[in-house]
Amino acid sequence: MKSTLDPLLFLIDPSRADIEAHSTQIFSDDAVDDILAQSSFANSHSPVPAHRRPRPIATSPPNPYSHRSSVLHRSLSSAPSSSVLPSSQARLALLQSFSNITRATRHAAQNILSHPLAKPIVPHLPDPVRSLVNASGEWQWGSWVEKGGVGEFESARVYLARWARIVAEEGERARRREAQTLPSTSTVQETSPLGIFELLHSTVNLPTPKSSRDPEHPVDEIMWSKWFAEDGRPKVRIEEMKREVFRRGIVAKGKLRQTIWPFILGVYEWDVTRPERLRKWEKKRKLYHEIKDQWCGVPEVFDRPDVIEERHRIDVDCRRTDRSQPLFTTKEPKLQDGQSGEKGHHQRYSSISPNISDIGSQSPTNEHIDRHASILLTYNFYEKDLGYVQGMSDLCAPIYVIMDANEEMTFWCFVEVMHRMKQNFLRDQSGMKKQLSTLQQLVGIMDPELYKHLEKTDGLNLFFCFRWVLIAFKREFSFDDVLRLWEVLWTDYYSNDFVLFVALAVLESHRDMILRYLVEFDEILKYCNELSMTIELDTTLAQAEVLFLSFAQLVADIDRRKAEELPTPSTNGVRHRNSQMKSDNSVTTINMPTLSENLRELLHTGR
């Protein structure tokens, strides 16, 4: 076989490793431009097979509600190349010159380092340079790809999609800065915090919703104190409080979240005085200790086989959850000799690890990790039908941090969170199946083109959204952004399932990359998994709000149209039939989308 690394090299009876090394396609600097240029026209020649060729954006399906197929589809139609300003041409020429210099330098370095005489010095070279060659002087393409963040098994299209996403995000930021200087065109456009979107011109002529988000002015101590009278009774309705938290968020500095979260979650009753609120809280605090006393200090329960199994699973999860937080990184103080009494007794039953031998094989623990685990074990006794399921520690840990290690408040806040998310942790996964099915239907009605693409790629199961929904994007955002996201979701201001609109917003933000470059399910799965820690929260929440408002408008319009299509009651049957025939001849019947009960439940709010 002929080597792709060296055109003059032919391999005879190559091994499997040689085949993989010498058959890997190495793209030149112009390969991306060539592929994009060749795939720009459907009928043009392309070296990529037709069934794997990047798809151009297809024409919209005949749906009266999706002229652009996507509510958040950005207007990418720019001025023709002939109208590019001279300054832009000069900039492009300069960048091309730099590219030529870089390519020539790289080729020279490759030729030198690949020579046999360079082998003795290769081990002493810096890592970036040494990664160009391996011990035999051949190209080490796999190492370069690995260090470039691609992964040796990742296809070129996934890498291309990631590259295109970065370019698109940079371009969107540039478009925002230049929005005011864009020349007017025949397309009606609107400038908003989400960028420049084409107004939806469809047969229904629905207005374009706008986001109400204002994260630059979060709820602070001054605003919060103004909402209460001297006796602690609120001056505003709970709906208004939740609306402001949804729009603004809560200021991160200080401990205001520690005060507001119990109100949002329903641990504290809203419309009562402070003494009444504290009296009811005292009952919940005592109830927590009654539940905890069912296992803490009771050896016959604590060491029961089923409890040991739960302790082990909880201990393993808690030792590796949010270990970057200061509370979970402090070292465990050693118990001094002779200090056996009450402290030793407490340590015996607060240490969740079933066996001392288990500790050495896992991450070290401390008092807060043990208390976090004890909260989850207590919940196991509180919610006996469900018990503890992996992933719950991810939901409990941030609450423990915000509540500053207050066990009682953390427990009851966690209970309220689980009231909202219990369906995600059912043993038969029926809750997750329902949510992913609802999200699938939501994609189908809001973005039919993306739905069809996922259908072609066997991606309608939406497994790449599973982790997003299961733990409410806990692994997709930084810790601080997770706190901001969760307090918005907990308000239930628009929908009890607003997390699905957040997931839809993420998909819509990357729809063009998915449609053009990702043609296999595993590529979409890998691409979406690698979005972790790259998603911009405020933009995503604003897009999710616009998507919900658009969905609500669409549902209302569908219901109105279906009501108008109902026959008008008439006492004269013949006259009614004649008028119906005239109506059928003069009006073209539009096949209206069917809305399932799951979709209609997305409009429900309040618990």
Side-chain angles (χ1 to χ4, degrees):
M1 61 172 287
K2 184 177 180 180
S3 172
T4 59
L5 306 181
D6 187 347
L8 301 180
L9 178 62
F10 292 86
L11 302 179
I12 300 176
D13 192 18
S15 63
R16 183 175 181 179
D18 290 336
I19 293 176
E20 292 178 355
H22 291 270
S23 62
T24 304
Q25 180 65 43
I26 299 180
F27 295 98
S28 66
D29 291 339
D30 299 329
V32 171
D33 296 334
D34 292 342
I35 293 176
L36 291 177
Q38 292 166 358
S39 61
S40 299
F41 302 95
N43 298 326
S44 64
H45 171 72
S46 172
V48 184
H51 70 286
R52 300 181 66 86
R53 192 175 304 166
R55 294 180 175 88
I57 300 299
T59 56
S60 302
N63 188 327
Y65 295 94
S66 56
H67 176 71
R68 289 290 174 185
S69 296
S70 169
V71 175
L72 294 178
H73 183 42
R74 295 181 177 85
S75 175
L76 298 179
S77 55
S78 58
S81 57
S82 59
S83 61
V84 180
L85 297 178
S87 59
S88 299
Q89 294 178 345
R91 182 168 62 252
L92 291 175
L94 180 61
L95 292 175
Q96 185 176 4
S97 299
F98 283 136
S99 175
N100 293 335
I101 295 174
T102 302
R103 183 166 61 251
T105 305
R106 188 194 64 185
H107 288 167
Q110 292 167 357
N111 292 334
I112 295 174
L113 295 176
S114 298
H115 196 278
L117 295 178
K119 287 183 180 181
I121 66 171
V122 168
H124 305 286
L125 295 175
D127 288 340
V129 180
R130 191 167 61 248
S131 65
L132 294 176
V133 293
N134 58 20
S136 62
E138 297 174 344
W139 283 100
Q140 197 170 354
W141 168 252
S143 175
W144 179 85
V145 169
E146 185 75 22
K147 294 187 178 182
V150 182
E152 60 183 1
F153 60 93
E154 184 175 10
S155 69
R157 279 186 309 283
V158 179
Y159 178 74
L160 181 61
R162 292 169 56 195
W163 169 82
R165 169 171 58 86
I166 296 172
V167 173
E169 291 173 352
E170 183 62 30
E172 176 61 22
R173 285 191 288 267
R175 279 194 295 275
R176 292 180 188 179
R177 292 192 296 265
E178 300 174 4
Q180 302 299 328
T181 62
L182 287 177
S184 59
T185 62
S186 58
T187 303
V188 181
Q189 293 182 335
E190 176 179 316
T191 303
S192 73
L194 306 184
I196 301 172
F197 297 93
E198 294 183 2
L199 294 178
L200 297 179
H201 293 293
S202 62
T203 56
V204 294
N205 196 26
L206 297 177
T208 303
K210 295 183 179 180
S211 173
S212 64
R213 293 270 304 158
D214 185 20
E216 291 80 12
H217 303 90
V219 176
D220 55 17
E221 295 276 1
I222 298 176
M223 183 182 299
W224 178 256
S225 61
K226 289 181 180 179
W227 291 349
F228 292 88
E230 293 183 1
D231 62 352
R233 186 182 294 274
K235 300 178 182 178
V236 299
R237 299 171 65 244
I238 190 172
E239 292 80 10
E240 182 178 347
M241 181 270 289
K242 290 185 175 182
R243 182 192 66 200
E244 292 306 309
V245 172
F246 178 90
R247 292 181 59 245
R248 303 170 180 270
I250 303 173
V251 65
K253 294 182 179 180
K255 297 185 177 181
L256 188 58
R257 282 194 173 110
Q258 190 174 334
T259 302
I260 298 181
W261 278 17
F263 285 100
I264 298 177
L265 290 170
V267 176
Y268 284 158
E269 195 168 337
W270 178 255
D271 197 16
V272 295
T273 61
R274 186 179 299 106
E276 293 177 274
R277 191 176 297 122
L278 293 178
R279 186 165 54 252
K280 293 183 178 181
W281 163 246
E282 185 63 22
K283 293 181 180 179
K284 289 187 175 182
R285 194 186 69 81
K286 290 181 179 179
L287 178 58
Y288 168 74
H289 288 285
E290 290 176 4
I291 300 172
K292 184 177 180 180
D293 288 343
Q294 295 180 20
W295 62 267
C296 186
V298 185
E300 58 269 22
V301 176
F302 191 71
D303 294 326
R304 218 167 54 200
D306 60 322
V307 177
I308 290 177
E309 182 181 353
E310 293 294 330
R311 286 165 50 198
H312 176 72
R313 294 194 296 119
I314 293 173
D315 178 62
V316 169
D317 288 348
C318 288
R319 287 172 182 265
R320 60 190 182 191
T321 301
D322 290 329
R323 294 306 300 263
S324 62
Q325 294 304 307
L327 280 179
F328 300 133
T329 56
T330 55
K331 296 182 178 180
E332 175 70 41
K334 294 183 178 179
L335 192 65
Q336 298 178 0
D337 295 337
Q339 194 177 22
S340 57
E342 183 179 352
K343 288 188 177 180
H345 175 80
H346 172 75
Q347 188 178 33
R348 165 71 179 87
Y349 292 105
S350 64
S351 179
I352 303 298
S353 180
N355 300 305
I356 298 298
S357 59
D358 293 340
I359 298 178
S361 60
Q362 300 184 36
S363 302
T365 186
N366 63 19
E367 177 189 358
H368 295 292
I369 294 175
D370 281 339
R371 294 177 70 179
H372 177 209
S374 69
I375 293 171
L376 294 173
L377 185 58
T378 304
Y379 181 80
N380 180 73
F381 282 81
Y382 173 81
E383 189 64 58
K384 296 181 179 180
D385 292 337
L386 181 61
Y388 175 80
V389 182
Q390 187 176 18
M392 291 183 180
S393 63
D394 283 287
L395 301 179
C396 186
I399 302 175
Y400 184 85
V401 172
I402 291 300
M403 296 305 155
D404 199 18
N406 185 324
E407 269 193 57
E408 298 93 343
M409 183 58 74
T410 299
F411 174 81
W412 287 112
C413 285
F414 177 69
V415 166
E416 294 299 330
V417 169
M418 289 306 301
H419 282 168
R420 290 164 162 78
M421 303 183 65
K422 186 186 301 183
Q423 60 178 340
N424 292 7
F425 297 94
L426 298 178
R427 304 288 179 177
D428 60 358
Q429 295 192 344
S430 57
M432 284 301 301
K433 291 177 182 177
K434 177 184 176 182
Q435 293 210 73
L436 293 180
S437 174
T438 305
L439 180 57
Q440 178 195 105
Q441 299 171 46
L442 190 60
V443 173
I445 196 170
M446 300 297 287
D447 194 345
E449 185 178 1
L450 179 59
Y451 181 92
K452 289 183 178 180
H453 181 77
L454 294 176
E455 187 176 26
K456 291 179 181 178
T457 59
D458 295 326
L460 281 182
N461 50 39
L462 299 181
F463 283 161
F464 42 86
C465 302
F466 188 93
R467 187 177 67 186
W468 300 355
V469 178
L470 178 66
I471 52 177
F473 290 89
K474 171 68 185 304
R475 307 281 179 86
E476 318 311 316
F477 293 98
S478 65
F479 188 84
D480 292 337
D481 279 351
V482 166
L483 305 181
R484 296 171 56 214
L485 170 63
W486 284 5
E487 61 199 17
V488 167
L489 297 178
W490 293 341
T491 62
D492 299 325
Y493 177 62
Y494 281 122
S495 171
N496 294 342
D497 297 301
F498 194 73
V499 66
L500 297 185
F501 290 92
V502 177
L504 180 61
V506 174
L507 291 177
E508 288 296 309
S509 298
H510 299 272
R511 72 183 299 274
D512 289 344
M513 310 307 154
I514 296 174
L515 290 173
R516 286 187 177 274
Y517 306 113
L518 307 179
V519 296
E520 301 289 348
F521 169 72
D522 58 341
E523 296 172 355
I524 300 177
L525 177 64
K526 186 170 181 61
Y527 180 85
C528 290
N529 285 342
E530 292 180 347
L531 292 178
S532 178
M533 302 301 166
T534 67
I535 308 172
E536 208 284 315
L537 178 62
D538 289 325
T539 300
T540 301
L541 287 176
Q543 291 175 344
E545 182 182 11
V546 171
L547 283 167
F548 174 84
L549 295 175
S550 300
F551 172 74
Q553 288 180 346
L554 187 145
V555 173
D557 191 77
I558 290 176
D559 292 342
R560 178 184 61 81
R561 284 170 171 259
K562 288 186 176 181
E564 292 175 352
E565 291 177 358
L566 294 176
T568 304
S570 174
T571 56
N572 189 332
V574 176
R575 182 177 180 180
H576 175 73
R577 286 194 297 270
N578 292 338
S579 62
Q580 184 67 29
M581 291 175 62
K582 292 181 180 179
S583 176
D584 292 342
N585 293 333
S586 59
V587 179
T588 302
T589 302
I590 299 178
N591 187 16
M592 307 298 294
T594 302
L595 298 175
S596 67
E597 286 301 317
N598 289 347
L599 283 177
R600 292 187 179 275
E601 287 179 3
L602 295 178
L603 299 177
H604 295 175
T605 185
R607 302 282 174 174

